[in-house]
Amino acid sequence: MDSELTAAVRRFNRTVTQRVGALDDEYMARGRPLAQARLLWEIGPDGAEVAALRTRLGLDSGHLSRLLRALEGDGLVVVRPADGVGGDGRVRDAVLTAAGRAEWAALDQRSDEFARSILAPLTAQRRERLVAAMAEVERLLMASMVVIEVCPPGDRRARACIRAYARDVARRFDDGFDPALSSPVHDDDLVPPAGVFLLATLHCEPVGCGAVKLHRDAPAEIKRVWVADAVRGLGVGRRILGELERHAAERGWTTVRLDTNRRLTEAIAMYRTAGYREIAPYNTERYAHHWFEKQLTP
């Protein structure tokens, strides 16, 4: 990693933490540090499941429990068993009290005022530049938080991705999509050493997937690459593709193939810029119009 890039990120982090008041003991002059204020904001007027808060904020259970206890001690939050879950005490909700809702409203107002204080010293043109730059940084930070890892194809998150893939391509293909008419992809084909299934997650929620089948005495084959709309344009598809290629190359395959539908223009462009060349059909996939191949370095 370039040392100058690392230093630039560190300078940015220092500037932001100072400017947004992360170093203050009392964030927004409300008598509590930033972590407690952020948690109060995330609970919101509608409340939230404790497990969802932990996932959304990336907090470990102990730290989250300490923050919740502090807010409970101030009379702002009540943690209670969730409604409608059959009395399962393990599922808990965090709910704002009347005082908590008043504090949330005050925090909301102070946050608007603070945002305006950042923009106020700038000219109109510089305000537009700053907001546009913030939006770009937010998207890139989101991209950096996407985790891609091997996942059993039978995992519920993997199943959810495959269902989302089927819905997405059914909407986009000229003649819809029926999995029963497509070339089969069995779970056994996507478990090492026969293959691998990759899952992409953001805040522990599935946002993409892809698989590679490691055919014996034949090129590896990439299947079921899908990315959720929420993370499109963040390079997640390219990362999944690269990881699938890496898994194939590390296991000795020197060639990888794939097929795709003519309606998936973004995918076709990605494959071409990633070094794939179009080849003659190598299978009888009903929904394929293009076939691609790439040479790998083991």
Side-chain angles (χ1 to χ4, degrees):
M1 186 70 68
D2 191 316
S3 60
E4 292 186 4
L5 294 179
T6 302
V9 171
R10 293 184 61 182
R11 285 195 305 272
F12 177 82
N13 289 343
R14 290 194 296 270
T15 301
V16 170
T17 53
Q18 181 177 0
R19 187 63 181 92
V20 303
L23 304 180
D24 299 338
D25 289 335
E26 297 186 0
Y27 184 67
M28 298 282 184
R30 298 304 298 172
R32 60 188 48 83
L34 174 59
Q36 291 181 22
R38 177 60 188 277
L39 179 57
L40 185 75
W41 172 262
E42 290 293 337
I43 294 170
D46 297 328
E49 282 192 10
V50 172
L53 292 169
R54 184 171 62 247
T55 298
R56 194 184 312 158
L57 296 174
L59 300 174
D60 64 66
S61 298
H63 188 195
L64 178 60
S65 294
R66 290 189 292 274
L67 292 174
L68 286 171
R69 284 198 298 271
L71 294 176
E72 284 186 292
D74 289 341
L76 303 178
V77 171
V78 173
V79 178
R80 65 190 186 190
D83 296 331
V85 292
D88 187 347
R90 295 172 298 178
V91 180
R92 299 181 301 152
D93 282 344
V95 181
L96 298 183
T97 63
R101 289 190 294 273
E103 180 65 18
W104 187 93
L107 182 61
D108 185 40
Q109 180 181 350
R110 290 285 182 93
S111 296
D112 280 345
E113 294 170 354
F114 180 68
R116 286 191 285 268
S117 75
I118 293 176
L119 297 171
L122 305 177
T123 64
Q125 184 179 19
R126 288 181 180 274
R127 292 172 188 171
E128 295 292 337
R129 287 177 56 192
L130 176 60
V131 171
M134 285 176 167
E136 179 68 4
V137 169
E138 181 183 14
R139 284 179 56 79
L140 293 174
L141 286 175
M142 185 183 300
S144 75
M145 292 188 288
V146 173
V147 176
I148 299 174
E149 56 191 350
V150 175
C151 177
D155 185 282
R156 62 174 181 80
R157 298 169 301 167
R159 296 290 196 212
C161 282
I162 293 300
R163 289 193 297 269
Y165 164 87
R167 290 193 300 269
D168 192 18
V169 296
R171 175 177 54 84
R172 300 185 65 181
F173 289 1
D174 292 328
D175 50 354
F177 177 73
D178 183 350
L181 301 179
S182 180
S183 299
V185 181
H186 302 297
D187 285 357
D188 290 345
D189 297 331
L190 307 181
V191 177
V196 69
F197 185 93
L198 297 183
L199 179 73
T201 58
L202 177 62
H203 304 310
C204 298
E205 293 298 319
V207 294
C209 68
V212 61
K213 299 169 69 174
L214 302 176
H215 299 294
R216 183 175 299 178
D217 301 324
E221 184 179 17
I222 288 175
K223 304 292 291 183
R224 304 298 189 257
V225 176
W226 171 79
V227 173
D229 289 341
V231 295
R232 289 192 188 278
L234 300 183
V236 177
R238 176 64 69 89
R239 284 179 59 193
I240 292 173
L241 182 65
E243 284 296 297
L244 293 171
E245 294 171 358
R246 183 179 65 81
H247 277 277
E250 287 180 349
R251 287 154 180 79
W253 269 258
T254 58
T255 306
V256 63
R257 291 175 175 174
L258 58 88
D259 62 66
T260 191
N261 187 279
R262 63 190 170 203
R263 301 292 294 176
L264 302 182
T265 54
E266 304 94 334
I268 292 171
M270 178 181 70
Y271 298 140
R272 285 177 170 152
T273 58
Y276 285 77
R277 65 180 184 86
E278 194 152 3
I279 60 173
Y282 66 85
N283 60 20
T284 57
E285 168 59 53
R286 174 188 177 94
Y287 297 103
H289 301 104
H290 299 274
W291 291 261
F292 289 93
E293 183 177 273
K294 181 179 180 178
Q295 300 302 308
L296 303 175
T297 301

